[in-house]
Amino acid sequence: MQKGGFNFDLYQRNVELIEKNNYKVPKTTKTGTTIVGVVFSDGVVLGADTRATSGPIVADPNCEKIHRISDYIWCAGAGTAADTENTTGMISLQLELLSLSTGRSPRVRTALTLLKNFLFRYHGYISAALVLGGVDFTGPHLHMIHPHGSTSTLPYISMGSGSLAAMAVLETGYNSKMGEEDAKSLVHQAILSGILNDLGSGGNVDLCVIKHKSMEFFRNIDTTNSKRKFRKKLPYMFKSGSTKILEKEIKEKMEKMEIVNEKENEIEELEEL
Amino acid sequence: MAGKNCVAIAGDTRFGVRNQTVALDSNRIFKINNRTLFGMTGLNTDILTLRESFKFQMNLYNLEEEREISPKTFAHNVAQTLYSKRFGPYFITPIIAGLEGEDYTPFLCATDLIGAMEFPKSFVVAGTGEESLMGVCETFYKENMEPEELFEVVSQCLLAAVDRDALSGWGSVVHVLTKDGITTKRLRTRKD
């Protein structure tokens, strides 16, 4: 069994399959995404849309893009869905172990360093663009992390394919003396702008408000974009027997076998020569 | 597709190398335990490898834990196995369907080739005909279907999508999993 880390066993075979045999590789799920973070007077607000795409098809119309790193440190992720999930998961567990061994509650800066070091080691091949926000004992923090491992610390951030649409809203509406309600509404508008104007973003709006020792997660706070207006009222009814069957096999649930009679194995005695 | 305390997985049984059909009876849907069904599409060699690999892992799990794995845990196991090959992945798209917990709530999970999971409540699709499948399933899916109706809906969706996909067909199999067991039915599809 493998020890840990990534396994490159199939890499050579895959290269040959793609180049020589023209194999059509299945698509990875990407989170096209609009993710946004804003610092306000008491804390941080993170926002994200909920669309995950596989090429031009919407693979998941309601996925969760805001991941928990620690109780009061959360991270929104854009890029390849598997990468953002596993990266934030790995750093979350490293941070938990670190905070248990140091006996201190974790800092946002620590999560930042762990994430950027991890991503830099893979030189951008792990395609995870993250907006990391949280409140620790030093106050509220908000950082952006690019897939190659560079970071920035800013009062308001937007990333993902819808970042330009969201940044337009943020630049217009941000002021450094915002309160919680203003910040929430600004993030909401920024994500909505991404959902409406960017094809890679869509679905509902998720919001996460982090203050000192308090975190509120508003999952699907705005679902106006995902309600289908003209749905057929009467569903299609398929009568039983409308599909022709060739063979039918019913397997009953297999229970564990119970031992009824236990006899000790009667070992034949070896004949002594 | 999920119904009321039941789930169904359907798949075709053609195995081909690009345009040539090699086998008509390749089974790609496997039973993990009484509560979990696992289907894969993609490169056949990877399907076979992973089938053996998961069989081995599940046998070990049953011996160590002395209980059956829950579908959700199995789905996470699949995702982790796929992500460990992030840079050199298995070319498959798996689907996990099962009944979770004491009240047999339906559980569905689909991942991409590197293990990004999604947990929809209605249906999951995979394969060369996945775009057509998504369209038909979106139309015909209803909430809270009983097993008989679920079978009909799933079969019709599969047959419709397979008709529009040149690389699928030549027989299909539908498994409906309820708390009493699995009902497997084979359907006639177009043989072209």
Side-chain angles (χ1 to χ4, degrees), chain B:
Chain B
M1 199 179 275
K4 191 173 179 190
N5 294 336
C6 58
V7 284
I9 289 193
D12 72 328
T13 52
R14 175 185 177 273
F15 166 40
V17 176
R18 270 169 273 178
N19 291 333
Q20 187 172 31
T21 306
V22 176
L24 312 173
D25 57 358
S26 100
N27 181 29
R28 291 177 281 261
I29 302 171
F30 310 108
K31 175 184 163 192
I32 300 294
N33 57 37
N34 283 328
R35 284 169 173 265
T36 320
L37 288 173
F38 176 51
M40 290 182 272
T41 65
L43 199 63
N44 211 350
T45 161
D46 286 342
I47 293 176
L48 297 173
T49 307
L50 281 175
R51 170 176 162 260
E52 296 306 313
S53 165
F54 287 125
K55 199 165 152 191
F56 165 67
Q57 286 183 33
M58 287 309 106
N59 285 340
L60 257 180
Y61 186 94
N62 288 336
L63 287 169
E64 285 177 355
E65 300 264 331
E66 293 186 8
R67 65 186 172 97
E68 289 191 335
I69 196 170
S70 78
K72 196 164 161 196
T73 315
F74 179 69
H76 279 91
N77 189 357
V78 170
Q80 190 269 321
T81 309
L82 294 175
Y83 194 71
S84 73
K85 293 258 197 294
R86 165 66 173 93
F87 300 116
Y90 290 112
F91 289 141
I92 65 153
T93 342
I95 284 182
I96 298 108
L99 298 170
E100 181 86 36
E102 295 285 307
D103 20 332
Y104 299 95
T105 29
F107 171 82
L108 292 174
C109 174
T111 85
D112 66 354
L113 79 166
I114 47 176
M117 290 182 284
E118 49 161 357
F119 305 104
K121 299 270 181 270
S122 44
F123 59 85
V124 283
V125 297
T128 50
E130 65 189 355
E131 296 182 15
S132 318
L133 265 175
M134 214 173 262
V136 237
C137 288
E138 188 74 62
T139 317
F140 293 150
Y141 171 74
K142 285 205 315 269
E143 289 186 3
N144 287 331
M145 286 185 280
E146 295 294 330
E148 291 83 35
E149 206 190 343
L150 179 64
F151 163 72
E152 298 292 340
V153 171
V154 163
S155 313
Q156 291 299 322
C157 288
L158 182 72
L159 291 175
V162 150
D163 280 354
R164 280 285 183 180
D165 179 29
L167 297 172
S168 310
W170 283 99
S172 66
V173 60
V174 184
H175 302 274
V176 181
L177 171 67
T178 61
K179 65 177 166 59
D180 300 317
I182 303 176
T183 310
T184 305
K185 293 180 186 166
R186 286 189 184 274
L187 312 173
R188 191 206 313 264
T189 57
R190 286 161 62 127
K191 296 189 184 200
D192 55 3

Side-chain angles (χ1 to χ4, degrees), chain A residues 194-260:
Chain A
I195 288 173
L196 292 169
N197 297 304
D198 174 43
L199 299 178
S201 315
N204 312 316
V205 181
D206 282 352
L207 233 60
C208 179
V209 182
I210 312 168
K211 294 189 289 200
H212 180 62
K213 295 257 186 266
S214 109
M215 191 285 298
E216 276 178 283
F217 193 95
F218 298 99
R219 169 90 171 128
N220 293 353
I221 196 175
D222 182 348
T223 51
T224 45
N225 266 309
S226 55
K227 291 214 170 60
R228 211 197 298 180
K229 276 187 193 161
F230 306 106
R231 202 176 241 283
K232 184 177 197 286
K233 288 211 178 93
L234 288 170
Y236 289 99
M237 295 298 291
F238 288 104
K239 270 189 257 175
S240 181
S242 40
T243 317
K244 284 214 176 107
I245 305 167
L246 289 175
E247 262 175 45
K248 179 175 170 179
E249 192 189 332
I250 304 179
K251 280 195 187 129
E252 304 254 320
K253 191 165 79 162
M254 267 179 25
E255 297 291 346
K256 278 200 187 137
M257 291 191 296
E258 279 187 32
I259 303 172
V260 176

Side-chain angles (χ1 to χ4, degrees), chain A residues 170-200:
Chain A
L170 291 176
E171 288 283 8
T172 319
Y174 180 81
N175 75 72
S176 49
K177 296 180 178 57
M178 280 195 304
E180 180 180 338
E181 288 309 311
D182 288 336
K184 269 168 68 179
S185 118
L186 180 67
V187 168
H188 186 156
Q189 288 306 310
I191 300 291
L192 257 184
S193 157
I195 288 173
L196 292 169
N197 297 304
D198 174 43
L199 299 178

Side-chain angles (χ1 to χ4, degrees), chain A residues 70-108:
Chain A
S70 150
D71 280 339
Y72 308 114
I73 304 175
W74 289 66
C75 185
T80 307
D83 287 336
T84 55
E85 287 261 1
N86 285 291
T87 307
T88 49
M90 255 185 275
I91 265 64
S92 163
L93 84 86
Q94 283 181 20
L95 202 66
E96 175 81 24
L97 289 173
L98 196 64
S99 92
L100 283 170
S101 75
T102 56
R104 289 171 170 73
S105 59
R107 298 188 208 193
V108 183

